[in-house]
């Protein structure tokens, strides 16, 4: 069974940095593109970016590219999202997702981790 | 970025009714469209990909159609477990973008 378990969320002050993790199990992690998607408290969904199965290539939403970095450790079956200089508008639930063999649609989602940016 | 406009934003329907949700793209997305269902307090789940392909395990009362810039999700014979929010997502061109969502409730 495919499982994606995010962690690392919480309350963080504006301007701070935060690193989210997603541990994958139930499939060969190194075979799949992985993505991060976030959902605001108002339920707006936003794709953050994705990373190729070998970590050699990433794509980002242009509005987040300068502050967010996606990486992965295939030996640990773990996906990461490094967030820097966070703002109140980054308050959201962050989901780790996996496609069905391509990076296009998201066949599997984690349970999400909530990030709240507030002083 | 490709803008995805979803309608209606909310919808109230009766059990057994047929429901249709629309998604319009700001440009041709060549069937690069997925639909997701999100039940209250849960993560989204994939329903449809490639505009009309049913994801494994999804009931056949769900179907997707459309082309070009106009796409729709149809739910036949609405069941109580279909109460949820529904989102479309385009993956024709980066950055992938989502519609604003449709909240479906029972009448």
């Amino acid at each position: 069974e495919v499982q994606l378990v995010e962690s690392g969320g919480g309350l963080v002050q504006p301007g701070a940095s935060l690193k989210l993790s997603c541990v994958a199990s139930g499939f060969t992690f190194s075979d799949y593109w992985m993505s991060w998607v976030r959902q605001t408290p108002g339920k707006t969904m936003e794709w953050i970016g994705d990373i190729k199965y070998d970590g050699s290539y990433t794509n980002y939403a242009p509005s987040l590219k300068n502050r967010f970095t996606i990486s992965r450790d295939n030996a640990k079956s773990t996906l990461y999202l490094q967030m820097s200089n966070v703002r109140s508008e980054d308050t959201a639930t962050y989901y780790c997702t996996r496609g069905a063999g391509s990076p296009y649609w998201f066949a599997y989602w984690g349970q999400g981790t909530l990030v709240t940016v507030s002083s | 970025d490709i803008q995805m406009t979803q309608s209606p934003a909310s919808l109230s329907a009766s059990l057994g009714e047929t429901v249709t949700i629309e998604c319009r793209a700001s440009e041709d997305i060549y069937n690069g469209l997925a639909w997701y269902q999100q039940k209250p307090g849960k993560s989204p789940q994939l329903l449809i990909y490639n505009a009309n392909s049913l994801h494994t395990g999804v009931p056949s009362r769900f179907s997707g159609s459309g082309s070009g810039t106009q796409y729709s999700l149809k739910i036949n014979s609405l069941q109580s477990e279909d109460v949820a929010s529904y989102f479309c997502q385009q993956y024709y061109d980066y950055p992938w973008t989502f519609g604003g969502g449709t909240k479906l409730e029972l009448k």
Side-chain angles (χ1 to χ4, degrees):
Chain A
E1 178 194 4
V2 172
Q3 284 201 315
L4 301 169
V5 180
E6 302 94 335
S7 62
L11 178 62
V12 59
Q13 292 197 332
S17 296
L18 191 66
K19 190 171 188 176
L20 307 182
S21 300
C22 168
V23 176
S25 61
F27 65 100
T28 303
F29 183 70
S30 57
D31 283 350
Y32 291 88
W33 285 75
M34 298 293 294
S35 302
W36 287 98
V37 175
R38 69 182 182 181
Q39 185 172 34
T40 67
K43 302 303 181 185
T44 298
M45 300 285 287
E46 181 177 23
W47 174 79
I48 296 169
D50 58 26
I51 184 167
K52 195 175 178 180
Y53 40 81
D54 60 0
S56 64
Y57 196 74
T58 51
N59 295 291
Y60 294 96
S63 61
L64 300 174
K65 184 173 185 176
N66 292 335
R67 298 188 298 118
F68 288 16
T69 302
I70 297 173
S71 60
R72 65 192 295 161
D73 184 338
N74 285 347
K76 296 182 178 180
S77 296
T78 302
L79 177 72
Y80 301 102
L81 177 65
Q82 177 71 52
M83 306 167 60
S84 63
N85 190 23
V86 296
R87 307 164 181 169
S88 58
E89 53 263 39
D90 295 323
T91 294
T93 296
Y94 287 73
Y95 293 101
C96 165
T97 69
R98 197 209 89 178
S102 64
Y104 306 133
W105 61 86
F106 311 121
Y108 298 95
W109 297 64
Q111 87 286 353
T113 187
L114 177 62
V115 173
T116 303
V117 182
S118 175
S119 55
Chain B
D1 298 4
I2 295 175
Q3 306 303 314
M4 303 300 293
T5 303
Q6 197 172 331
S7 62
S10 63
L11 179 58
S12 183
S14 302
L15 292 174
E17 195 173 329
T18 294
V19 168
T20 300
I21 298 169
E22 308 280 346
C23 202
R24 185 182 78 248
S26 59
E27 60 183 83
D28 195 328
I29 57 172
Y30 298 93
N31 282 18
L33 185 96
W35 289 97
Y36 301 90
Q37 176 193 66
Q38 185 177 31
K39 295 184 179 181
K42 300 293 186 182
S43 302
Q45 292 188 310
L46 177 67
L47 296 174
I48 302 282
Y49 61 94
N50 290 344
N52 56 26
S53 296
L54 201 65
H55 181 54
T56 304
V58 174
S60 59
R61 63 179 181 275
F62 291 90
S63 63
S65 64
S67 63
T69 62
Q70 300 274 10
Y71 298 86
S72 61
L73 172 71
K74 187 165 77 170
I75 309 173
N76 286 316
S77 188
L78 188 69
Q79 306 294 303
S80 57
E81 59 263 34
D82 300 334
V83 169
S85 292
Y86 294 84
F87 296 88
C88 62
Q89 175 234 334
Q90 70 80 22
Y91 49 85
Y92 171 68
D93 193 22
Y94 278 116
W96 308 153
T97 48
F98 289 85
T102 296
K103 187 174 184 179
L104 175 59
E105 299 174 326
L106 283 180
K107 192 180 291 183

